[in-house]
Amino acid sequence: MKCYYLWTIGCQMNDADSRQMAEGLESLGYAATRRPEEADVIVLNTCVVRQSAEDKVYGRLSSLKPIKQKRPEAILALMGCAVEEDTSSLQQRFPYVDLFVRPSDTESLIDFIASHNGTADHWQPASSFQCPVSCYVPVMYGCDHLCTYCIVRLRRGRQRSKRPAEIVDEVQCLVERRTREVTLLGQNVDAYGHDLPDQPTLAVLLEAVHEIDGLWRLRFLTSHPADMANELIEAVADLPKVCEYLEIPIQSGDDKILKRMLRRYTIAQYRELVAKIRERIPKVALATDVIVGFPGETEKQFMNTCDLLREIRFDVVHVAAYSPRPGTAACRLPDDVPPQEKERRRKAVEELQKQIAGEINALLLRQAVEVLVEERHKGKWRGRTRTNKLVFFEDERDWRGKLARVQITWTGPWSMQGSPV
Ligand code: SAM
Ligand code: F3S
């Protein structure tokens, strides 16, 4: 049997694309393998959001060169944000790569492989392909914001939303294959629909998807603070399947830095947004992204970020050290926070958040929570609460794809444990 090897790093969008690709390849009769040396198709689905990710991609690609030399008939494809519109320099640097695929263009990749095999007209639905209990569904590609540090919008282009009917069909199809929770994805998902002729909003899309029988939970990410409309907050509050969990990147706790990042909101506006959300959705869990060491960030400005994190008390903070990216506006600013200092700030935020998340999660101790069980992991069932807390429990019964009531017996900053009641 022919095999494929799929390597993915980066955001949830890449995870979603890879799942779609795996399904497409299995439709063509390929089976997954963990060994690239035996694969007939090798795909690297890549991320270049920071230099460290880009280094990993090129390291992985170079390590595949001897495999490709040994088996020139194997197809090697590079996909994702490493692939610019003009691929000539990539072609020069990596002549052994057969195919360069733009981010999220899974269709081109599958078409290429199908026509390479002469199977373009004989696609078989991969009936054996198991859809995850909780599945990501991209609803839009690209982004119309101009955050000065961000390469993703350069690689993924302007915002392109899918039509609501197409998304509803896709979710319906997943639910028929036993998916119970979907997370609607976009780089900037709360701007969904602005680019479509009748401009449907994310709130309208949530209502449409909410109607699907057999779907139990609905989420969306990532939201831009400046695009979060009251109508959307109302939809989260009113639609029972929409979970009380929002990811709203703040990036910095300092107005001057936010301005230089071109984030288009102030700290006061962000605070107001959080207050409004917490008033309307009292049990909401909030996640955010923070960049430390942006050009010119002083110790005082960094402390402003820490103070804001202490004040808002997010459930989750994804923190990254600023990494200058070619072609972005911030890349022209002097990268003047030394690497060790960026790392110190990153670790300080991580430590602070560990403490805050530990305290927030400890409030769930001895409480019974609803967990949608996704899979068994190292002998334990693993699932999430509506607020996206990771819960593990042991039990002999088969819980995959079921809702369990779990009494929490241990909590930590990143996960908790319990037993079913
Ligand atoms: N749409 C989201 C928003 O509203 O901010 C973010 C999408 S971005 C691709 C994912 C995260 O990567 C960002 O929130 C940011 O924290 C981080 N990131 C992006 N560019 C970065 C850079 N040059 N250096 C460090 N972190 C970066
Ligand atoms: Fe990037 Fe900002 Fe869009 S972080 S993906 S330009 S919202």
Side-chain angles (χ1 to χ4, degrees):
M1 192 178 201
K2 287 193 270 183
C3 309
Y4 70 92
Y5 171 82
L6 191 49
W7 181 85
T8 309
I9 59 165
C11 62
Q12 293 94 343
M13 190 67 86
N14 275 6
D15 288 339
D17 293 340
S18 287
R19 182 191 62 77
Q20 218 169 38
M21 221 154 19
E23 190 172 357
L25 288 166
E26 292 187 24
S27 311
L28 295 174
Y30 287 82
T33 175
R34 286 166 189 263
R35 293 162 42 87
E37 56 279 14
E38 66 178 23
D40 302 282
V41 173
I42 301 173
V43 185
L44 302 190
N45 195 4
T46 62
C47 169
V48 292
V49 72
R50 286 177 284 278
Q51 188 62 47
S52 52
E54 186 167 343
D55 292 345
K56 261 188 217 157
V57 169
Y58 295 134
R60 196 75 193 91
L61 195 51
S62 303
S63 76
L64 292 171
K65 190 175 176 184
I67 294 179
K68 178 70 184 167
Q69 277 167 339
K70 225 179 195 171
R71 298 188 54 223
E73 71 282 7
I75 297 172
L76 175 56
L78 187 75
M79 178 172 166
C81 285
V83 181
E84 294 175 73
E85 202 168 349
D86 177 3
T87 56
S88 49
S89 68
L90 279 173
Q91 281 174 22
Q92 261 175 15
R93 205 169 146 198
F94 303 106
Y96 55 95
V97 172
D98 298 290
L99 187 65
F100 296 96
V101 187
R102 297 302 309 281
S104 296
D105 191 7
T106 47
E107 227 172 285
S108 295
L109 184 106
I110 300 297
D111 284 350
F112 176 90
I113 292 164
S115 53
H116 182 85
N117 290 348
T119 50
D121 300 327
H122 331 280
W123 281 37
Q124 293 287 321
S127 52
S128 59
F129 192 84
Q130 193 177 46
C131 285
V133 172
S134 174
C135 203
Y136 292 126
V137 176
V139 298
M140 59 193 279
Y141 300 107
C143 175
D144 283 348
H145 279 277
L146 298 165
C147 304
T148 54
Y149 52 80
C150 182
I151 194 173
V152 175
R153 63 176 193 87
L154 300 177
R155 297 295 161 95
R156 290 190 175 260
R158 298 290 305 260
Q159 172 171 328
R160 287 130 21 235
S161 302
K162 291 191 203 165
R163 310 255 354 147
E166 187 189 340
I167 298 162
V168 169
D169 281 354
E170 208 176 311
V171 176
Q172 181 79 56
C173 216
L174 288 168
V175 169
E176 279 162 18
R177 296 161 72 192
R178 307 182 85 92
T179 289
R180 295 291 170 237
E181 172 181 287
V182 294
T183 302
L184 308 182
L185 289 184
Q187 299 300 334
N188 185 23
V189 73
D190 47 350
Y192 169 80
H194 289 183
D195 53 308
L196 290 174
D198 46 345
Q199 304 197 327
T201 58
L202 182 61
V204 167
L205 178 65
L206 287 174
E207 275 171 32
V209 175
H210 193 270
E211 291 289 296
I212 297 172
D213 281 338
L215 178 74
W216 297 342
R217 288 179 176 184
L218 188 48
R219 306 179 189 274
F220 57 91
L221 54 91
T222 306
S223 300
H224 190 289
D227 291 317
M228 178 139 307
N230 289 342
E231 184 203 23
L232 180 58
I233 301 172
E234 291 301 316
V236 179
D238 292 342
L239 297 170
K241 292 180 187 174
V242 180
C243 295
E244 303 78 20
Y245 174 77
L246 296 174
E247 292 210 6
I248 320 173
I250 184 152
Q251 309 299 4
S252 167
D254 185 87
D255 279 336
K256 283 205 179 108
I257 298 284
L258 285 181
K259 204 163 182 185
R260 266 191 275 140
M261 288 177 163
L262 211 64
R263 286 293 289 176
R264 299 184 166 142
Y265 51 85
T266 61
I267 295 303
Q269 286 166 330
Y270 191 93
R271 269 199 192 103
E272 249 173 63
L273 177 66
V274 168
K276 203 159 43 175
I277 292 171
R278 285 186 166 155
E279 195 195 327
R280 201 57 192 89
I281 315 160
K283 289 190 179 152
V284 73
L286 295 177
T288 201
D289 293 0
V290 165
I291 297 176
V292 294
F294 188 76
E297 186 189 65
T298 62
E299 178 64 15
K300 173 80 181 63
Q301 289 172 321
F302 168 65
M303 292 316 286
N304 287 344
T305 299
C306 294
D307 288 346
L308 195 77
L309 298 182
R310 273 188 211 99
E311 175 194 321
I312 295 188
R313 292 175 69 80
F314 292 96
D315 292 72
V316 177
V317 175
H318 308 284
V319 55
Y322 169 72
S323 167
R325 306 312 292 132
T328 60
C331 197
R332 293 194 292 271
L333 301 171
D335 182 21
D336 52 3
V337 181
Q340 312 86 294
E341 178 55 19
K342 281 184 191 166
E343 187 53 16
R344 186 193 68 80
R345 293 181 189 181
R346 195 190 63 77
K347 279 200 176 127
V349 168
E350 231 169 46
E351 274 308 305
L352 170 61
Q353 182 55 26
K354 186 174 169 189
Q355 189 199 333
I356 293 172
E359 289 166 8
I360 293 176
N361 290 349
L363 298 174
L364 288 174
L365 202 59
R366 288 182 287 281
Q367 298 216 13
V369 294
E370 181 201 272
V371 174
L372 176 60
V373 184
E374 292 172 30
E375 60 185 1
R376 214 175 162 112
H377 180 80
K378 294 184 183 163
K380 287 184 177 160
W381 291 106
R382 174 188 191 279
R384 288 182 185 268
T385 64
R386 286 178 60 94
T387 51
N388 213 35
K389 311 274 181 198
L390 191 55
V391 178
F392 293 93
F393 65 89
E394 284 180 51
D395 200 74
E396 285 314 307
R397 285 166 286 180
D398 181 4
W399 280 101
R400 187 181 188 275
K402 294 183 185 150
L403 285 172
R405 284 214 58 83
V406 178
Q407 175 139 33
I408 300 300
T409 52
W410 175 88
T411 64
W414 326 123
S415 68
M416 39 194 82
Q417 290 180 21
S419 42
V421 288

